[in-house]
Amino acid sequence: MFASSLPGAPLAASRLAGRSRSVQSPYRECEGLHHSRLVPSARAAQLPHQLQRSPCLYKHRVNRRCHSLVVQAQKGQPDPPDAPREERRGGREWLQTLLSRFGPITQKAENTAVLDFEKPLVELDNRITEVRKVAEENGVDVSESIRELEDRAKQLRKDTYSRLTPVQRLQVARHPNRPTFLDVALNISDKFVELHGDRAGLDDPAMVCGLASMEGQTFMFIGHQKGRNTKENIHRNFGMPQPNGYRKALRFMKHADKFGLPIVTFVDTPGAFAGKSAEESGQGEAIAVNLREMFGFRVPILSVVIGEGGSGGALAIGCANRNLIMEHSVYYVASPEACAAILWKARDKAATATEALKITAEQLVKFKVMDHVIPEPLGGAHSDPMGAFPAIKKSLMEVYGYYSKLTEEEIKLDRYAKFRALGQFEEHLVPGGQWRETRASRAKALAEGSGAHTKMGTWAVDEREAELCELIADQDERWDEAILGKEQWINKPAQPPGLLRTGIMELSVAMVEQRRRQQEQASSAPPMPALPEPTPAVAHTYSQGNNGVAGNGSHGVEVEA
């Protein structure tokens, strides 16, 4: 190896290789260093004696200045090229030694995010760590005290997380250390291969798609991806997809539907990106197309909310046969901050909005928005991610086992019926918006068995309501007679051409066509446009709500979430 204090030294060394005449130089060689270098003779005299030896020193005057060129051979004999790989130094043993220093952490880092209600838990954990460390240093047996402190910490953590308010659950769902989609995908699957692109030249990092294998079955994984730090969040756009992200998801959903692969979506987003560029690129259209197309897929779709699911950004990949949610996750139509700004014009009302929105897992299952709650380890998934992954995998495989036995048509009808049954509502007459007083009077009349009836036998709260029902029915009959034979004068709503193609309206369209054919056969008069009959679930709710009140007419409708 050649080394010098000037860049021209290697070239000079090649020229001096064959010369035997030496020239005095003020530089001397220094051995014993990893990289040979030249030092002045005056400075070399101050080095130890073993570093002043110069077995191979060539001297030459270059450009009228004296320089010293050093040639130093590498210490030790290298391994021969044909030596076995196991016998070479720095092979597999070296790699294992290097990797042995890495492993699961035994204690939390100091910069780990801690929520306000978690501070007593962290202080108790730190105290247990200090007691154990002091006992090991002094050789004192304090196992009983440590066991008592650990039991106390476990009970305190259990009590804390069993009494979380909706605001605190929202904080847990947004915890920066909560497992992201890639964390879940890589830990619950035997193999995961990420796929990119929307076939239009764009690839949104906030929407990650890929093929995964679990217990021998291939799935299509699609999910929102957040970052761990500021740099990653900027790259992932804080988990808020652009329109091309939803088009990318739709592309791989169609790919899975073509090849018969079940689809699993993981929701973790505050909402779709609401920037100017997203609106210019058709954010609303991209979400609407996803909603429409997902109802026509013949493969089962499973959805898991692993963090927060906000607005249409979550629903764009959440139209599934079965919706699962983790214990401390949330799902909402608008963020509590946005809801407070809209309703109260103040962001400090976010806590009140969180209570009113009913966004926790238990409340969502109660209203049948979600179907199943996936339990989390004690302390949340952010405190024990490895304990949360097996529960997610177990729940997914159990649900898939049910849908794997259904036919393609049954899978589509199951998805259609699930969303048709969502919501609770009552339909009856409400004078002047006094819906609370109306509900109370109806409940009282039903309990006492009182009330009145119309000429057709429809039940009403009192005579006044019965007369109003008859008046509304008479007006409807007069309107039907007035438009008889003049249906072309009425503006009919135009349906999108792709709505019938996806299969969402197949049942309703068939019922409408059958009813029209029956009317044409029963009467020679021009048939009137018929409305589709309600599904059994809707009809059941309707009959319970109006309790026999005439269903045709301008009724006040109360919608209760």
Side-chain angles (χ1 to χ4, degrees):
M1 179 176 62
F2 297 99
S4 175
S5 59
L6 292 179
L11 180 60
S14 62
R15 296 176 179 177
L16 293 176
R19 297 188 181 184
S20 61
R21 185 171 59 91
S22 64
V23 182
Q24 295 295 332
S25 172
Y27 292 87
R28 299 184 62 184
E29 180 201 22
C30 296
E31 288 187 335
L33 303 177
H34 292 288
H35 300 284
S36 300
R37 61 188 181 91
L38 301 178
V39 297
S41 299
R43 183 179 175 186
Q46 301 176 1
L47 299 176
H49 177 70
Q50 61 271 21
L51 298 180
Q52 299 181 13
R53 294 178 292 113
S54 55
C56 185
L57 178 63
Y58 299 97
K59 305 171 184 178
H60 181 63
R61 183 178 300 274
V62 181
N63 295 331
R64 298 182 180 181
R65 297 182 62 182
C66 294
H67 302 277
S68 177
L69 305 177
V70 180
V71 179
Q72 180 179 350
Q74 184 179 2
K75 294 184 178 180
Q77 296 296 329
D79 294 327
D82 57 346
R85 187 178 183 86
E86 290 75 15
E87 297 180 2
R88 293 188 179 184
R89 291 187 302 271
R92 184 179 303 173
E93 294 80 3
W94 172 85
L95 181 60
Q96 293 177 353
T97 304
L98 178 63
L99 296 179
S100 63
R101 291 180 288 176
F102 300 92
I105 59 175
T106 57
Q107 59 183 4
K108 292 184 178 180
E110 297 180 357
N111 59 349
T112 302
V114 179
L115 303 177
D116 293 337
F117 66 89
E118 291 182 326
K119 290 181 179 179
L121 304 175
V122 176
E123 292 176 359
L124 189 56
D125 292 340
N126 294 337
R127 182 180 177 184
I128 295 174
T129 303
E130 292 177 0
V131 171
R132 183 180 288 108
K133 183 178 180 181
V134 172
E136 292 177 355
E137 292 177 353
N138 299 327
V140 181
D141 185 13
V142 291
S143 57
E144 294 295 334
S145 301
I146 293 177
R147 189 179 300 108
E148 182 180 353
L149 289 175
E150 289 178 347
D151 294 341
R152 180 182 174 186
K154 184 177 180 180
Q155 185 63 33
L156 180 60
R157 184 172 285 104
K158 183 178 180 180
D159 296 341
T160 301
Y161 277 87
S162 62
R163 298 193 302 264
L164 291 182
T165 64
V167 177
Q168 292 173 338
R169 291 188 184 275
L170 179 63
Q171 295 175 354
V172 175
R174 295 174 173 176
H175 200 285
N177 299 114
R178 193 169 179 85
T180 62
F181 163 59
L182 285 178
D183 297 331
V184 176
L186 294 173
N187 284 276
I188 70 173
S189 61
D190 303 327
K191 185 177 181 181
F192 178 76
V193 179
E194 185 176 355
L195 305 175
H196 298 271
D198 64 343
R199 292 289 175 88
L202 298 174
D203 184 28
D204 191 356
M207 185 71 73
V208 178
C209 309
L211 293 172
S213 175
M214 292 192 302
E215 298 182 4
Q217 173 63 42
T218 304
F219 295 84
M220 177 62 74
F221 278 9
I222 301 173
H224 303 97
Q225 177 65 26
K226 291 183 178 179
R228 287 294 185 193
N229 48 45
T230 304
K231 185 177 180 180
E232 290 184 8
N233 274 321
I234 293 175
H235 175 65
R236 302 285 183 179
N237 199 22
F238 295 87
M240 297 184 293
Q242 301 272 359
N244 56 80
Y246 294 111
R247 296 186 179 107
K248 169 184 175 181
L250 180 60
R251 173 205 165 190
F252 290 113
M253 288 182 191
K254 291 181 177 180
H255 178 87
D257 182 67
K258 179 179 180 180
F259 292 98
L261 304 178
I263 302 171
V264 182
T265 64
F266 297 85
V267 178
D268 187 16
T269 177
F273 184 59
K276 181 182 177 182
S277 59
E279 297 298 335
E280 291 175 347
S281 302
Q283 185 72 284
E285 182 270 344
I287 295 176
V289 170
N290 279 27
L291 298 178
R292 185 190 70 190
E293 296 296 331
M294 289 184 72
F295 280 98
F297 292 144
R298 59 188 179 88
V299 296
I301 304 177
L302 312 179
S303 178
V304 184
V305 182
I306 59 176
E308 58 175 335
S311 190
L315 194 61
I317 62 172
C319 294
N321 293 86
R322 193 69 64 90
N323 291 83
L324 291 77
I325 183 171
M326 298 188 71
E327 184 179 358
H328 300 301
S329 298
V330 294
Y331 198 71
Y332 45 74
V333 67
S335 66
E337 294 81 6
C339 180
I342 294 171
L343 297 182
W344 292 282
K345 310 299 181 183
R347 295 180 64 88
D348 56 354
K349 294 288 186 178
T352 305
T354 306
E355 297 281 350
L357 285 172
K358 311 296 183 184
I359 62 177
T360 62
E362 296 179 358
Q363 295 167 336
L364 293 168
V365 172
K366 177 182 177 181
F367 291 117
K368 298 182 180 180
V369 177
M370 293 291 161
D371 302 304
H372 178 66
V373 177
I374 301 177
E376 296 187 20
L378 187 61
H382 62 278
S383 63
D384 185 13
M386 301 305 298
F389 299 140
I392 299 175
K393 182 177 181 179
K394 179 181 177 182
S395 300
L396 286 175
M397 296 307 299
E398 288 178 355
V399 176
Y400 171 71
Y402 169 76
Y403 284 100
S404 63
K405 303 175 183 178
L406 301 182
T407 63
E408 298 177 359
E409 196 66 24
E410 290 174 341
I411 291 173
K412 291 193 293 184
L413 292 177
D414 176 85
R415 193 181 309 129
Y416 173 81
K418 169 184 168 55
F419 282 85
R420 288 292 294 173
L422 284 178
Q424 300 177 2
F425 64 92
E426 297 178 0
E427 185 177 3
H428 50 75
L429 298 175
V430 179
Q434 301 176 0
W435 62 272
R436 289 187 177 88
E437 293 80 359
T438 303
R439 291 188 64 186
S441 62
R442 293 176 66 84
K444 182 179 179 180
L446 288 172
E448 296 176 354
S450 60
H453 293 80
T454 64
K455 295 179 180 180
M456 298 297 296
T458 303
W459 183 88
V461 176
D462 49 24
E463 295 292 341
R464 180 174 176 273
E465 183 175 331
E467 293 178 1
L468 185 58
C469 291
E470 293 179 359
L471 178 62
I472 294 174
D474 293 341
Q475 293 294 334
D476 288 342
E477 291 178 359
R478 292 177 184 177
W479 172 254
D480 293 338
E481 295 176 358
I483 66 172
L484 187 62
K486 305 173 184 177
E487 291 83 3
Q488 65 274 13
W489 294 359
I490 303 175
N491 294 327
K492 299 180 181 180
Q495 294 183 351
L499 188 61
L500 303 179
R501 185 178 63 251
T502 60
I504 183 176
M505 297 289 290
E506 290 179 358
L507 294 178
S508 299
V509 170
M511 295 169 62
V512 170
E513 295 296 334
Q514 183 179 3
R515 185 172 179 179
R516 287 179 177 175
R517 285 194 297 267
Q518 292 177 355
Q519 289 181 348
E520 291 177 357
Q521 296 175 359
S523 175
S524 59
M528 294 176 57
L531 297 176
E533 297 180 0
T535 61
V538 177
H540 178 69
T541 308
Y542 179 84
S543 62
Q544 286 185 346
N546 59 16
N547 290 302
V549 178
N552 51 352
S554 303
H555 295 197
V557 178
E558 175 203 348
V559 179
E560 186 178 293

